[in-house]
Amino acid sequence: NYTKINKLVNSDIMEELWFLRRLDKQRYDIDDKIFEEQLLNNWFYYKNSMELYFQFVEHDEDLNGTLNAKELHNYKGTSQGLMHFTIAACQRIIDVHMDKTNCNELDFIGFINLILACENKTTIQSLNYFWKVLNMNDNNILSPDIITYFYNNIS
């Protein structure tokens, strides 16, 4: 799961990193309200990073540093938007995207990847993230059985 340098340089993520680097200069170049809005929308701003970390820890009920399907199911989203997955979808996300050393649970990096996929739904990376979850038979076919599996778990 490596990202090519030219893809990174031309991405929105790099713009957010550059924004933080130019912080001192930009602080005096733009209106305070616009500056604060840009800062609060920046993934790399420390307050946003800490909020995400605290949300992760808050949902880690057994305090083992990872989230199981039930704990992930209880997560309802960030201040940027709501999200809610069924237990079946949570388990499938964990199965596909967990760090293989974490005994069938999602670590913090996996959690961040999920949040990024949810908050950037229109990107190719997000679509690939969720396609891996839906591609249960590894045959690139979304069958009625798979749709039924996820649909039956909606409460």
Side-chain angles (χ1 to χ4, degrees), residues 92-119:
R92 182 69 182 150
I93 288 168
I94 290 169
D95 291 344
V96 172
H97 295 292
M98 72 175 176
D99 175 1
K100 302 304 179 207
T101 62
N102 282 331
C103 303
N104 208 25
E105 296 195 356
L106 199 64
D107 64 5
F108 185 59
I109 293 171
F111 179 73
I112 290 172
N113 288 335
L114 172 62
I115 303 305
L116 282 168
C118 288
E119 292 192 3

Side-chain angles (χ1 to χ4, degrees), residues 8-23:
L8 179 64
V9 168
N10 294 313
S11 72
D12 292 338
I13 291 173
M14 188 56 108
E15 182 57 38
E16 290 187 26
L17 287 169
W18 279 113
F19 173 77
L20 289 179
R21 183 172 178 162
R22 296 187 309 258
L23 208 54

